[in-house]
């Protein structure tokens, strides 16, 4: 009896949940160490490296399951579905953190994000004191709104575009053509 190979959707479910849980673990560890880490660029970079490493690892596992070869389309479908599932798991965990576990955290992160934005402006030669107060108020409001429940859901929606781009990159890395079929 021949073994049935999973579709990209079926194969992406378990890796997606695993990547989402790892992302949540990293988020919660950063929260317990120092919640301001969650608004840091270094935290985002470390999380992205871990995310890419896991996605490539699971993609190579699936390619091996398929016999060592995978088309670009299959690799894209697998990657995108795994990333979306991971994003949903992470979104639920972050909503739980921001709305239930520590409802004051969004305000703390908004302030840190606002301060980081001002520091970045200064590093590019812009003096925040010379900016109109309306512009500073708008920047602060945007920082605060991104950590609300609606902001988190909206960010996930816009994140789908980023997920598609990441899945395209991963598909380019993971695809492998059977050159023996070229003849």
């Amino acid at each position: 009896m021949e073994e049935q190979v999973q579709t990209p959707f079926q194969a992406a479910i378990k890796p997606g949940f695993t990547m989402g849980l790892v992302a949540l673990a990293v988020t919660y560890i950063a929260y317990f160490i120092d919640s301001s880490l969650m608004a840091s660029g270094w935290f985002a970079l470390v999380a992205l490296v871990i995310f890419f490493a896991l996605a490539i690892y699971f993609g190579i596992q699936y390619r091996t399951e398929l016999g060592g070869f995978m088309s670009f389309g299959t690799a894209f479908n697998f990657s995108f579905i795994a990333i979306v599932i991971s994003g949903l798991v992470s979104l639920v965990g972050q909503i739980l953190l921001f709305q239930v576990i520590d409802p004051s955290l969004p305000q703390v992160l908004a302030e840190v994000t606002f301060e980081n934005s001002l520091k970045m402006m200064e590093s590019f030669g812009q003096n925040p004191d010379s900016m109109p107060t309306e512009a500073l108020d708008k920047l602060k409001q945007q920082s605060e709104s991104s950590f609300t429940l609606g902001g988190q859901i909206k960010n996930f929606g816009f994140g789908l575009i980023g997920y598609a781009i990441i899945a395209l990159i991963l598909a380019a890395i993971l695809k492998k053509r059977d050159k023996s079929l070229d003849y």
Side-chain angles (χ1 to χ4, degrees), residues 130-152:
S130 67
M131 291 180 66
T133 56
E134 299 84 33
L136 290 173
D137 290 342
K138 185 176 180 179
L139 182 62
K140 187 167 184 128
Q141 181 187 15
Q142 288 173 338
S143 296
E144 291 171 353
S145 69
S146 66
F147 294 106
T148 64
L149 179 61
Q152 288 177 291

Side-chain angles (χ1 to χ4, degrees), residues 33-175:
I33 292 173
D34 180 7
S35 61
S36 66
L37 286 174
M38 296 170 64
S40 130
W42 288 106
F43 173 74
L45 183 65
V46 167
L48 189 64
V49 167
I50 292 169
F51 180 77
F52 262 100
L54 286 172
I56 290 170
Y57 171 76
F58 288 124
I60 290 172
Q61 269 189 334
Y62 181 54
R63 184 176 70 195
T64 303
E65 182 184 314
L66 293 175
F69 303 103
M70 185 165 44
S71 71
F72 181 85
T74 301
F76 174 77
N77 288 337
F78 171 82
S79 299
F80 185 69
I81 293 164
I83 292 169
V84 168
I85 291 170
S86 170
L88 286 170
V89 169
S90 186
L91 175 66
V92 169
Q94 287 181 7
I95 288 172
L96 182 66
L97 177 62
F98 292 162
Q99 307 303 321
V100 178
I101 296 172
D102 190 352
S104 67
L105 182 61
Q107 186 63 35
V108 171
L109 292 178
E111 288 174 18
V112 171
T113 302
F114 180 70
E115 290 171 13
N116 288 344
S117 298
L118 294 179
K119 287 178 187 174
M120 186 178 291
M121 285 180 192
E122 288 175 349
S123 72
F124 288 122
Q126 172 72 37
N127 183 0
D129 294 333
S130 67
M131 291 180 66
T133 56
E134 299 84 33
L136 290 173
D137 290 342
K138 185 176 180 179
L139 182 62
K140 187 167 184 128
Q141 181 187 15
Q142 288 173 338
S143 296
E144 291 171 353
S145 69
S146 66
F147 294 106
T148 64
L149 179 61
Q152 288 177 291
I153 292 170
K154 184 175 81 173
N155 288 342
F156 177 78
F158 286 123
L160 290 174
I161 296 167
Y163 293 166
I165 293 168
I166 291 170
L168 286 169
I169 294 167
L170 289 169
I173 293 169
L174 295 171
K175 71 174 172 59

